[in-house]
Amino acid sequence: MSALSFIIAGMLAAAMPFLLAALGELVAERSGVLNLGIEGMMALGAVVAFIVVRQSGGHAMGFVAAGLASAALATVFAWLALAVRANQVAAGLAIGILGQGLSALFGKRYESLTVPGLPKLSIPGLSELPLLGGLFSQDAVVWLGLLATLAIWATLRFSKLGLVIRAVGENPHAARALGYNVIAIRYGAVAFGGLMAGFAGAYAATVYTPLWAEGMIAGRGWIALALVVFATWMTGRVVFGAVLFGAVSLSQLAAQAGGVALNSQLLASLPYIVTILVLGAISANKRLLKINGVASLGEPFGR
Amino acid sequence: MPAPLLSLRGLSKSYGTVRANRDIDLDVAEGSIHAILGENGAGKSTLMKLIYGVESPDAGEMRWRGNLVSPSSPNEARSQGIGMVFQHFSLFETLTVVENISLIVPGKKRALVARIRQLGQDYGLEVDPLAHVHALSVGERQRVEIIRCLMTNPKLLILDEPTSVLPPQSVKTLFETLLKLRDRGVSILFISHKLEEIRSICDHATILRDGAVTGNVDPREHDAHDLAQMMIGRDMPEARAFAAREPGPVLLELAGLDYQPDDPFQMSLKAVSLKLHAGEILGIAGVSGNGQGELARLISGETRRHAEARDEVMMFGQPVGDLGAAARRKLGFAFVPEERLGRGAVPEMSLSDNSLLTAHGLGLVRRGLIDRGAEDAFTRRCIADYDVRTPGPQAEAGALSGGNLQKFIVGREMELAPNLFFVSQPTWGVDIGAATEIRRRLVDMRNAGVAVLVISEEIEELFEICDRIQVIREGRLSPSLTVSKTRVEEVGRYMIGAEEGAA
């Protein structure tokens, strides 16, 4: 397999943890809540999914459990940020650290154990194409994740629900004056963000690298957060950023395997550098930032 | 006599120790335009929020067509047939008109677009349903708000200070729309503090003062003087006439200033020119959102230009375009911004500390340390001279009412004894007595030879105090109009851009 077809085949799977977490965060931020606890929620989802899959062997069960666990943790954060009106940055960081701690605690007995991954589902015909064929042979979660991406994009853009979420994020006071329950909508959006972070963690721990190691999320939640901002809160750009990051991480691996004479630390930081440069360049447009930005992001709301 | 459409008995609402509404009784008849008249802070907005279900009353009862109701949310009020147009619009700037409307009106987008167009034609409320709200003028936004209300088929429409954002000509159109609505059976609650408007359109007026009802009259049977007396509880203070005088040297000059802000929601300024002499007051009139804010920041120094553009703003004959606000103040410039909280004063800090922010040069700081005694004395002087009602210099700025804080800020800036004084919206949210006092002081400054620039949306105010007026519209400034030779209608034409067609 050439390096290029290796990258093309693997980039969607590599992008999936970022993509799922970033889409969830996108929805939460669109409603006006900044959840900095994504990393910890991914870690919690990862360990829960790993344990469930390890005990029962069922991936579906593992994903459901991970999603629920992370959504529950996100709801605790939402309670702090919305009901108690704690500072969102501080509450998010604290809940994130709690998630990482829980993850380490629960995962203690599973260190270095493995679970079976997921089989690839191929699209007949397309998956036999030269070079591009690998793109059409992915596991079920990738296919579902792409569908979810489409659904989230369409919901935010075309549906009444999406309209309400955007309205609440732009001007919560006006939304309240129109009779919308701002707090309830934000609870929902944050919980959804937690659910997606749980899925993202589950994918990382039970499908992408089906092996438990403490701290295995390794900053992917932070990258997801950065993706949302750099993508100027646009779904399409989140997808682009996540896939770009995935592709560059794989090319970095391919380069190391191919014996490129470059410092391996420098190579390892390549995905971060490329993603920041590319997304930084496209988010430099202040006009876009203003139109797509969330006006009330991070501000506590109350009477 | 038929039961009134809406009837309130003994409605009360307090916020902390402030009794915003006390024992309000109110009856709104079917098919009437009913005015709620009162000064800023009299409790008008609170009352409307109670009726519309945004807030709940502490005591009292509300009857809608004879039935006891207690709306706990705007949804409930709307479903009963009450609609409201807010003073500070409740529109979402990043959404389109039809998206804004679909937030409270069910239906398919295409059907909504058709209905918006239809209503626009019927009531003279034309607006493009697919436009983004941030691209609309203030008048158009108000039309969107009214259409949004009308699409819920209200029996009662509440309008909170609807004319405060409109040029005179648009006020006429709005009134025609309201009369049409009334003839089709919609009652209107019209909140205002403008007496002549109420006399021209309303058939009933309820007057509020300090949160309580002080009168129930037919406004057509009383003159403005009577109404004002009921509203403020004493005689209207009189404006002081002043003599024309020869202007002195030019102290502020903008020569063909072009400015393109980064923020797409802001107005760009095009070829803005003005000259302000010592000993005169120049007024900038215009409907809000036409570039006043951008212009103010360029003059105050909050927006700095790059060094090549430094002579776009000249003060005292020096180019200052690239200087910050502090450097400009050092030259003898003082400034009162339109936002009191956050720009004019720091709400969390005491009045004393707020004095220090701009008056530090008046001996309040010695060897880098704050002279608390001098600071206290200066603050007390402002409080006494400008009639600021407050417990003392240590009161938090944010705890003062809008009018009192405005008096304090204006006082603080005037005490700096500037040669060039710029004030934006000097009497916004200030009661009539204090507003007259502030205007009188501005004229006193002018008579003492200070160059005064005033941005205001109240034409009457500008006509009262200014020597000359320039009108700002879509980032352009009209030629200078001499007040003594100009009629209000002429300024109004510049405000809506009609002078081009007429010329």
Side-chain angles (χ1 to χ4, degrees), chain A residues 178-230:
Chain A
L178 291 185
Y180 285 101
N181 189 336
V182 173
I183 301 292
I185 289 160
R186 289 187 165 176
Y187 259 111
V190 172
F192 179 78
L195 181 83
M196 293 296 284
F199 290 160
Y203 187 81
T206 66
V207 184
Y208 192 62
T209 35
L211 167 137
W212 183 252
E214 194 190 322
M216 67 167 306
I217 296 302
R220 280 183 274 196
W222 294 109
I223 298 290
L225 262 168
L227 278 178
V228 175
V229 179
F230 280 132

Side-chain angles (χ1 to χ4, degrees), chain A residues 5-27:
Chain A
S5 61
F6 164 76
I7 294 167
I8 290 174
M11 65 185 185
L12 286 182
M16 212 36 57
F18 306 110
L19 182 61
L20 295 177
L23 286 174
E25 178 68 10
L26 175 70
V27 172

Side-chain angles (χ1 to χ4, degrees), chain A residues 1 5-14 16 118-144 146 203 207-208 250:
Chain A
M1 201 196 275
S5 61
F6 164 76
I7 294 167
I8 290 174
M11 65 185 185
L12 286 182
M16 212 36 57
L118 278 179
K120 298 261 194 272
L121 303 176
S122 302
I123 298 180
L126 285 177
S127 57
E128 272 109 62
L129 286 172
L131 196 65
L132 291 177
L135 196 59
F136 300 98
S137 177
Q138 305 286 351
D139 57 68
V141 182
V142 172
W143 295 126
L144 288 174
L146 293 176
Y203 187 81
V207 184
Y208 192 62
L250 288 178

Side-chain angles (χ1 to χ4, degrees), chain A residues 30-90:
Chain A
R30 272 290 190 186
S31 83
V33 185
L34 180 67
N35 179 1
L36 291 184
I38 288 295
E39 175 85 4
M41 291 168 199
M42 280 178 78
L44 181 67
V47 78
V48 169
F50 191 89
I51 294 172
V52 171
V53 173
R54 178 85 193 171
Q55 301 294 351
S56 73
H59 272 89
M61 197 67 151
F63 270 77
V64 169
L68 290 179
S70 296
L73 189 61
T75 308
V76 176
F77 162 72
W79 177 76
L80 284 173
L82 301 174
V84 185
R85 280 195 277 148
N87 180 306
Q88 290 183 12
V89 171

